[in-house]
Amino acid sequence: MQELRLRCDVMHGDILVFDCKGHTLNIALKATPVFIYKTMVLLYQQIFSMRVKAVHVINMPPFVKTVINLIKGVLKPKLAARIYIHSDEEVLKKLIPLNLLPVDFGGEGLSLQELEGKLTGK
């Protein structure tokens, strides 16, 4: 997705949304501190250097809170303060303009499948 944005976007900042619907404890156990460091810290802070405005974790099962705390522990404090946890996706309608929010989350924007198609050229 970042490659697409580099070509087509003005990149004012990122609002990341992680939907945890259907996630199991087994998936959460794979999120080791090294994995979290490599994906979150290296990717966003050093490689792409994009400004992360907010990270919203939606539909979070109870065990994911431990994973979120691990993530916050390896991030810079300013970035960790931008992580928000929500029980459902309704809050996204208040935070993100409906024309940008994918229809998968109740918005009017392109679906996640259509966005993936733009990325892959399909």
Side-chain angles (χ1 to χ4, degrees):
M1 191 64 130
Q2 293 302 334
E3 294 295 327
L4 178 67
R5 291 188 62 232
L6 286 171
R7 286 184 260 143
C8 305
D9 197 0
V10 291
M11 299 181 290
H12 292 293
D14 285 342
I15 297 174
L16 306 175
V17 178
F18 292 100
D19 188 357
C20 294
K21 188 183 289 183
H23 281 58
T24 63
L25 181 58
N26 205 17
I27 293 171
L29 292 175
K30 293 179 183 177
T32 65
V34 172
F35 173 78
I36 293 167
Y37 178 79
K38 285 182 178 179
T39 56
M40 294 297 289
V41 177
L42 291 179
L43 184 64
Y44 269 94
Q45 291 179 358
Q46 295 179 8
I47 296 173
F48 285 114
S49 298
M50 307 271 181
R51 180 163 188 260
V52 176
K53 288 183 168 184
V55 177
H56 296 278
V57 182
I58 59 172
N59 299 316
M60 186 183 80
F63 61 82
V64 177
K65 186 167 186 146
T66 304
V67 176
I68 298 299
N69 288 332
L70 281 172
I71 292 170
K72 284 184 172 186
V74 299
L75 296 175
K76 293 179 182 176
K78 189 174 179 179
L79 184 57
R82 295 178 182 164
I83 297 176
Y84 304 95
I85 299 168
H86 311 288
S87 59
D88 60 34
E89 63 268 359
E90 288 300 312
V91 71
L92 296 178
K93 293 177 184 176
K94 298 174 188 169
L95 300 171
I96 301 172
L98 288 179
N99 65 324
L100 299 177
L101 186 64
V103 294
D104 308 82
F105 297 114
E108 301 165 357
L110 297 174
S111 71
L112 294 175
Q113 187 174 11
E114 290 170 317
L115 290 170
E116 182 182 4
K118 285 186 172 284
L119 177 64
T120 59
K122 295 179 181 175

